[in-house]
Amino acid sequence: MSALICGSLAFDSIMVFHDHFKNHILPEKIHMLNVSFLVPEMRREFGGCAGNIAYNLKLLGSTPQIMATCGADFAPYAAHLDKLNISRQHIRHVEDSFTAQAFITTDLSDNQITAFHPGAMNFSHLNHVNQASDVTIGIISPDGRDGMLQHAREFQEAGTPFIFDPGQGMPMFDGNDLMAFVELADYVTVNDYEAELLQTRTGKTLDELAQLVKALIVTRGELGSHIYADGQVIDIPCARASEVLDPTGCGDAYRAGLLHGIANGMDWATTGRLASLLGAIKIAHRGGQNHAPSLNDIKQLFKAEFGYDFA
């Protein structure tokens, strides 16, 4: 299986403020806000949806291809991908730009203040799906707006089945745009909040949207997920995590499970359970790419959790 993953590559700088934001932000002065937070803890992680999805697919023994754009500061990420033996063939370097970056400050109540710089993501339209070969399935995850629209059309023209995964990119699109994505895609995956937004913007119910694709997948956090397929709603349980440390990248891990299951002809119950398990493995580790189970570990965990083997 070779999946083409169109989406973002990013550096995540995560800082911890050892207090509560509310103690330092005065409501009556919000119109002239000027605050500074001392953050003695900081870590920098490799992230971005495309990078995270590819990382998890590699754990499953697949051969992911990343189609993304990066900036002049990409060298550490490039070395990371080389170490993982993940191809950089379709990662375009954009001069005079930064790789996308998120700067996240978290307080002791897990409130977050995030600044996101898209950088080279804005040039994702310079990449074209037909530049990749031997692709059996694709996914469009959050990326530059023009690139997402273009890649959806190109997947459809190439006859390559793909998942539409709008994620945090959904606010960039109106109802007509979202309907165009759904009509071009073979599969759609959203979380429960995005599902509500998708219905509001398109004017369609989940049942109506599901009729336009082979499957509509809605993740629901600790409640598991629902897969609308073949005229039914398949309830997927949430796999148990050894501990809950960091949800960053859990959705991407789940999507890797979807890609692997679809490409390998698994039934929806098994595909959803594999996706759920990958999310549970990830949440027990900080960052999107720091969990490192072997494929055999994943298979053993799957059987222990669900009572049967996956192919």
PDB file of all heavy atoms in Angstrom, residues 146-162:
ATOM      1  N   ASP A 146      -5.915  26.816  -1.258  1.00  0.00           N
ATOM      2  CA  ASP A 146      -5.911  26.550  -2.697  1.00  0.00           C
ATOM      3  C   ASP A 146      -5.407  25.141  -2.983  1.00  0.00           C
ATOM      4  O   ASP A 146      -5.912  24.460  -3.881  1.00  0.00           O
ATOM      5  CB  ASP A 146      -5.051  27.574  -3.431  1.00  0.00           C
ATOM      6  CG  ASP A 146      -5.639  28.974  -3.399  1.00  0.00           C
ATOM      7  OD1 ASP A 146      -6.841  29.105  -3.077  1.00  0.00           O
ATOM      8  OD2 ASP A 146      -4.903  29.938  -3.685  1.00  0.00           O
ATOM      9  N   GLY A 147      -4.408  24.711  -2.221  1.00  0.00           N
ATOM     10  CA  GLY A 147      -3.877  23.372  -2.423  1.00  0.00           C
ATOM     11  C   GLY A 147      -4.890  22.292  -2.121  1.00  0.00           C
ATOM     12  O   GLY A 147      -4.996  21.301  -2.851  1.00  0.00           O
ATOM     13  N   MET A 148      -5.661  22.467  -1.056  1.00  0.00           N
ATOM     14  CA  MET A 148      -6.660  21.468  -0.694  1.00  0.00           C
ATOM     15  C   MET A 148      -7.706  21.320  -1.796  1.00  0.00           C
ATOM     16  O   MET A 148      -8.074  20.202  -2.185  1.00  0.00           O
ATOM     17  CB  MET A 148      -7.315  21.828   0.639  1.00  0.00           C
ATOM     18  CG  MET A 148      -6.385  21.712   1.838  1.00  0.00           C
ATOM     19  SD  MET A 148      -7.160  22.212   3.404  1.00  0.00           S
ATOM     20  CE  MET A 148      -8.311  20.850   3.677  1.00  0.00           C
ATOM     21  N   LEU A 149      -8.198  22.440  -2.298  1.00  0.00           N
ATOM     22  CA  LEU A 149      -9.195  22.409  -3.363  1.00  0.00           C
ATOM     23  C   LEU A 149      -8.633  21.753  -4.624  1.00  0.00           C
ATOM     24  O   LEU A 149      -9.287  20.918  -5.266  1.00  0.00           O
ATOM     25  CB  LEU A 149      -9.673  23.827  -3.675  1.00  0.00           C
ATOM     26  CG  LEU A 149     -10.533  24.503  -2.597  1.00  0.00           C
ATOM     27  CD1 LEU A 149     -10.603  26.012  -2.839  1.00  0.00           C
ATOM     28  CD2 LEU A 149     -11.942  23.905  -2.578  1.00  0.00           C
ATOM     29  N   GLN A 150      -7.423  22.133  -4.968  1.00  0.00           N
ATOM     30  CA  GLN A 150      -6.789  21.603  -6.173  1.00  0.00           C
ATOM     31  C   GLN A 150      -6.530  20.112  -6.058  1.00  0.00           C
ATOM     32  O   GLN A 150      -6.803  19.342  -6.997  1.00  0.00           O
ATOM     33  CB  GLN A 150      -5.474  22.338  -6.405  1.00  0.00           C
ATOM     34  CG  GLN A 150      -4.621  21.789  -7.538  1.00  0.00           C
ATOM     35  CD  GLN A 150      -3.342  22.576  -7.669  1.00  0.00           C
ATOM     36  OE1 GLN A 150      -3.351  23.748  -8.023  1.00  0.00           O
ATOM     37  NE2 GLN A 150      -2.218  21.933  -7.360  1.00  0.00           N
ATOM     38  N   HIS A 151      -6.017  19.667  -4.927  1.00  0.00           N
ATOM     39  CA  HIS A 151      -5.675  18.257  -4.774  1.00  0.00           C
ATOM     40  C   HIS A 151      -6.916  17.370  -4.789  1.00  0.00           C
ATOM     41  O   HIS A 151      -6.866  16.227  -5.264  1.00  0.00           O
ATOM     42  CB  HIS A 151      -4.869  18.050  -3.491  1.00  0.00           C
ATOM     43  CG  HIS A 151      -3.536  18.746  -3.530  1.00  0.00           C
ATOM     44  ND1 HIS A 151      -2.878  19.182  -2.398  1.00  0.00           N
ATOM     45  CD2 HIS A 151      -2.744  19.107  -4.577  1.00  0.00           C
ATOM     46  CE1 HIS A 151      -1.746  19.766  -2.749  1.00  0.00           C
ATOM     47  NE2 HIS A 151      -1.651  19.740  -4.058  1.00  0.00           N
ATOM     48  N   ALA A 152      -8.032  17.877  -4.293  1.00  0.00           N
ATOM     49  CA  ALA A 152      -9.276  17.102  -4.354  1.00  0.00           C
ATOM     50  C   ALA A 152      -9.673  16.855  -5.808  1.00  0.00           C
ATOM     51  O   ALA A 152     -10.041  15.731  -6.184  1.00  0.00           O
ATOM     52  CB  ALA A 152     -10.387  17.832  -3.610  1.00  0.00           C
ATOM     53  N   ARG A 153      -9.604  17.886  -6.613  1.00  0.00           N
ATOM     54  CA  ARG A 153      -9.937  17.724  -8.032  1.00  0.00           C
ATOM     55  C   ARG A 153      -8.965  16.763  -8.707  1.00  0.00           C
ATOM     56  O   ARG A 153      -9.363  15.923  -9.528  1.00  0.00           O
ATOM     57  CB  ARG A 153      -9.918  19.086  -8.734  1.00  0.00           C
ATOM     58  CG  ARG A 153     -11.014  20.043  -8.275  1.00  0.00           C
ATOM     59  CD  ARG A 153     -11.090  21.266  -9.180  1.00  0.00           C
ATOM     60  NE  ARG A 153      -9.865  22.072  -9.122  1.00  0.00           N
ATOM     61  CZ  ARG A 153      -9.690  23.095  -8.309  1.00  0.00           C
ATOM     62  NH1 ARG A 153     -10.660  23.436  -7.463  1.00  0.00           N
ATOM     63  NH2 ARG A 153      -8.569  23.783  -8.316  1.00  0.00           N
ATOM     64  N   GLU A 154      -7.688  16.863  -8.344  1.00  0.00           N
ATOM     65  CA  GLU A 154      -6.672  16.026  -8.993  1.00  0.00           C
ATOM     66  C   GLU A 154      -6.796  14.561  -8.597  1.00  0.00           C
ATOM     67  O   GLU A 154      -6.596  13.670  -9.440  1.00  0.00           O
ATOM     68  CB  GLU A 154      -5.287  16.568  -8.668  1.00  0.00           C
ATOM     69  CG  GLU A 154      -5.009  17.914  -9.331  1.00  0.00           C
ATOM     70  CD  GLU A 154      -3.668  18.519  -8.931  1.00  0.00           C
ATOM     71  OE1 GLU A 154      -3.059  18.048  -7.950  1.00  0.00           O
ATOM     72  OE2 GLU A 154      -3.236  19.478  -9.602  1.00  0.00           O
ATOM     73  N   PHE A 155      -7.128  14.279  -7.354  1.00  0.00           N
ATOM     74  CA  PHE A 155      -7.372  12.893  -6.955  1.00  0.00           C
ATOM     75  C   PHE A 155      -8.534  12.319  -7.754  1.00  0.00           C
ATOM     76  O   PHE A 155      -8.469  11.194  -8.247  1.00  0.00           O
ATOM     77  CB  PHE A 155      -7.690  12.816  -5.460  1.00  0.00           C
ATOM     78  CG  PHE A 155      -6.492  12.659  -4.565  1.00  0.00           C
ATOM     79  CD1 PHE A 155      -6.285  13.525  -3.496  1.00  0.00           C
ATOM     80  CD2 PHE A 155      -5.568  11.629  -4.761  1.00  0.00           C
ATOM     81  CE1 PHE A 155      -5.190  13.384  -2.664  1.00  0.00           C
ATOM     82  CE2 PHE A 155      -4.467  11.477  -3.927  1.00  0.00           C
ATOM     83  CZ  PHE A 155      -4.276  12.363  -2.865  1.00  0.00           C
ATOM     84  N   GLN A 156      -9.604  13.098  -7.865  1.00  0.00           N
ATOM     85  CA  GLN A 156     -10.787  12.618  -8.569  1.00  0.00           C
ATOM     86  C   GLN A 156     -10.472  12.383 -10.048  1.00  0.00           C
ATOM     87  O   GLN A 156     -10.875  11.365 -10.628  1.00  0.00           O
ATOM     88  CB  GLN A 156     -11.933  13.631  -8.402  1.00  0.00           C
ATOM     89  CG  GLN A 156     -13.308  13.104  -8.747  1.00  0.00           C
ATOM     90  CD  GLN A 156     -13.646  13.273 -10.219  1.00  0.00           C
ATOM     91  OE1 GLN A 156     -13.044  14.081 -10.911  1.00  0.00           O
ATOM     92  NE2 GLN A 156     -14.617  12.498 -10.690  1.00  0.00           N
ATOM     93  N   GLU A 157      -9.732  13.294 -10.661  1.00  0.00           N
ATOM     94  CA  GLU A 157      -9.378  13.148 -12.071  1.00  0.00           C
ATOM     95  C   GLU A 157      -8.485  11.932 -12.305  1.00  0.00           C
ATOM     96  O   GLU A 157      -8.562  11.281 -13.347  1.00  0.00           O
ATOM     97  CB  GLU A 157      -8.669  14.417 -12.556  1.00  0.00           C
ATOM     98  CG  GLU A 157      -9.599  15.626 -12.654  1.00  0.00           C
ATOM     99  CD  GLU A 157      -8.847  16.931 -12.802  1.00  0.00           C
ATOM    100  OE1 GLU A 157      -7.582  16.902 -12.859  1.00  0.00           O
ATOM    101  OE2 GLU A 157      -9.499  17.992 -12.861  1.00  0.00           O
ATOM    102  N   ALA A 158      -7.635  11.627 -11.308  1.00  0.00           N
ATOM    103  CA  ALA A 158      -6.728  10.482 -11.432  1.00  0.00           C
ATOM    104  C   ALA A 158      -7.420   9.161 -11.112  1.00  0.00           C
ATOM    105  O   ALA A 158      -6.848   8.089 -11.325  1.00  0.00           O
ATOM    106  CB  ALA A 158      -5.528  10.670 -10.503  1.00  0.00           C
ATOM    107  N   GLY A 159      -8.645   9.227 -10.607  1.00  0.00           N
ATOM    108  CA  GLY A 159      -9.358   8.011 -10.230  1.00  0.00           C
ATOM    109  C   GLY A 159      -8.815   7.364  -8.977  1.00  0.00           C
ATOM    110  O   GLY A 159      -9.020   6.170  -8.746  1.00  0.00           O
ATOM    111  N   THR A 160      -8.130   8.151  -8.148  1.00  0.00           N
ATOM    112  CA  THR A 160      -7.556   7.635  -6.903  1.00  0.00           C
ATOM    113  C   THR A 160      -8.507   7.906  -5.742  1.00  0.00           C
ATOM    114  O   THR A 160      -8.841   9.066  -5.489  1.00  0.00           O
ATOM    115  CB  THR A 160      -6.202   8.311  -6.605  1.00  0.00           C
ATOM    116  OG1 THR A 160      -5.313   8.081  -7.700  1.00  0.00           O
ATOM    117  CG2 THR A 160      -5.589   7.753  -5.326  1.00  0.00           C
ATOM    118  N   PRO A 161      -8.973   6.899  -5.038  1.00  0.00           N
ATOM    119  CA  PRO A 161      -9.865   7.131  -3.899  1.00  0.00           C
ATOM    120  C   PRO A 161      -9.149   7.946  -2.828  1.00  0.00           C
ATOM    121  O   PRO A 161      -7.949   7.745  -2.580  1.00  0.00           O
ATOM    122  CB  PRO A 161     -10.203   5.722  -3.406  1.00  0.00           C
ATOM    123  CG  PRO A 161      -9.082   4.867  -3.902  1.00  0.00           C
ATOM    124  CD  PRO A 161      -8.632   5.467  -5.197  1.00  0.00           C
ATOM    125  N   PHE A 162      -9.895   8.850  -2.176  1.00  0.00           N
ATOM    126  CA  PHE A 162      -9.246   9.662  -1.144  1.00  0.00           C
ATOM    127  C   PHE A 162     -10.208  10.029  -0.029  1.00  0.00           C
ATOM    128  O   PHE A 162     -11.431  10.024  -0.196  1.00  0.00           O
ATOM    129  CB  PHE A 162      -8.606  10.921  -1.739  1.00  0.00           C
ATOM    130  CG  PHE A 162      -9.572  12.024  -2.125  1.00  0.00           C
ATOM    131  CD1 PHE A 162      -9.859  13.064  -1.243  1.00  0.00           C
ATOM    132  CD2 PHE A 162     -10.173  12.030  -3.374  1.00  0.00           C
ATOM    133  CE1 PHE A 162     -10.735  14.086  -1.598  1.00  0.00           C
ATOM    134  CE2 PHE A 162     -11.049  13.042  -3.745  1.00  0.00           C
ATOM    135  CZ  PHE A 162     -11.327  14.084  -2.844  1.00  0.00           C
TER     136      PHE A 162
END
